[in-house]
Amino acid sequence: MKSHRLTPILVALVLGALAPATPVLAGRVTNAASLVRQGWAAMDAGRLEDAAMLMEQAAAAQPSFAARCHLNAACLLARAGREAPALDAVEAAVTAGWRDRSEVEGDPDLAPLTTDSRWRPLLARVDANAAAFRARHADPDSARFLTGDLRRLAALLPLPTADDELPEAVRLLAENYFDAGSDGLADFLALRKIRDVETEAVTVAHLPRLYAGMDTLADAITAREPELRAALRGLRDLAPEAWFPDVTFVAGHFRSGGTSTEHGLVIGAEIFGLGSGVDYGEFPAEARGMLRPIAELDFVVVHELVHFQQLPSPADHTLLRAALVEGSADYLAQLVLPDTPEPDYRAWGRAHDAEVKERFLREMAGTDTSAWIANNDRATPEWPAALGYYVGYRIAEGYVNRAADRRGAVRALLELRDPEDLLQRSGWLESR
C-alpha cells in the first residue's frame, strides 16, 4: 500500500494529480457514485448498453441521482439504436423530476426519439416539473443554508491514520458521512468534486484539527446567513425570474469551491474557512494560497446561483461558451456584490488585454479550455490561471453596459443562447 504522508498528498490534491483508487463500497450513495463512474468507463469502451444498465442501477441505488442517471441511460440507449427503451428512460427521468427542457430538446443523442407520439407529452411534463420547482423556489428567503454535513464530519474525527487502517477509515467515512449525508453531498461525490472516498479519507485523517473545525465553520456560516440572504435578494433584483434553491455546505478535499446540481448549490466549504476559527495550521504552507476568507462565501454562492439559472447547451462546447458561462457568473456576482475585490486573474487580464484577446480569438471556436479554465496546475507568470473567466467577464460587462434594456441583457447572459452575438455586441473586440 502506498505511503500517505501529509504534504505530498495535499500538494497532489491541489494540483489534481492524485490517481483515484476507490475501494468497493456497499453504501447507498458511495455505491451509486461508483456505478456512475463504471457507466462512463463502459461508455468510453463502446459498451453503450452496459453503460445504460449501470446508470439505471445508480438511479435505483440513490434517488437523488435518479433523474440525471435515467436521462444518461436514455442518451446511451438512443446512441445504441434502442429507441423504445431510450424513450422509457426519458419517461423515468421525467417521473423522477427532470425539469430542463433545453437539455432534453437540444441533446442530439435524443433526436431520434422526437418523432414518437410520446415525445411532446413528455416535454409538457418537463415544463410542469420546472414550473413546480420554480414556484417552490421563487423567493430568495425560502432558500435554506444547510450545514449538517459539516457537523457530521466533525463528529467522526479522529479517523485512523495508519496505512493498514485505511480501509476502516474509508468505511467510517462512507457509512457516516456520505451515505448518511445530504443530496448535495451525494451530488458532490457523483460529480467527482470529491475525487473518491479513499482520497477523502486520507485527507481527513491527516488533517484532524482542520476537519474537527468543520462544526466551527458551520457556526460561522449560520452566523453569516443575513449577508448570504442579502446576496440572494441582490440577484433577484437583477433577475426577477431567477429561482433560489437550497445551498448545501460540504467538506471535500480542496478540489472544488462549489457547483450547481439539479437539487441546488453545493459549496466546498473547507476552502472558505479563513477567519472562521478553523485551525489551518496543519495545511501545507505551499498550498495556502488556495484558502479563502469566509466573507467570500457570498460571492461564490451568487456565482454558483448564476450557473443554476444558465441554460445548458449539449451541442455547444466551445471555449467561447465556456468562458461566457464562467465570466458572466463572475460579472453578475460582482454587480450584486460590488465591493468584492478584483481577483488577480482580472487585474492581469486588463493589463495584458491585447495579448489575451489575440490568443482567445484564435482558440475560441475550439473545445480545448485547458489554457483558460480550471488550469491552476498549468499556470505560469506569463499566462496565469482562469483567464477564460476574464474574457467572459469582459464580454458580459461590455454587453450589459451597451444594452438599452439592462434587465434583458442580464437575461441574455443567463440564457446564453447565442455566445457569438454576445461577443460581437459587447464591444470587447474593438476595445484597446
Side-chain angles (χ1 to χ4, degrees), residues 345-415:
Y345 79 79
R346 207 182 303 153
W348 193 95
R350 290 189 191 279
H352 300 81
D353 185 75
E355 176 186 352
V356 173
K357 189 179 305 177
E358 180 184 6
R359 180 171 177 178
F360 186 80
L361 290 174
R362 290 199 312 267
E363 300 180 10
M364 69 178 189
T367 58
D368 183 1
T369 64
S370 61
W372 299 90
I373 295 169
N375 60 325
N376 286 331
D377 56 332
R378 296 177 293 279
T380 67
E382 293 75 30
W383 194 260
L387 290 175
Y389 286 65
Y390 165 74
V391 171
Y393 185 101
R394 288 296 308 274
I395 295 170
E397 178 183 46
Y399 181 78
V400 172
N401 287 343
R402 285 183 158 205
D405 177 6
R406 181 181 175 88
R407 184 163 287 176
V410 169
R411 188 182 314 113
L413 292 179
L414 296 177
E415 294 178 349

Side-chain angles (χ1 to χ4, degrees), residues 256-275:
S256 173
T259 192
S260 62
T261 77
E262 290 99 310
H263 304 103
L265 312 186
V266 191
I267 306 300
E270 77 282 4
I271 293 173
F272 298 95
L274 294 179

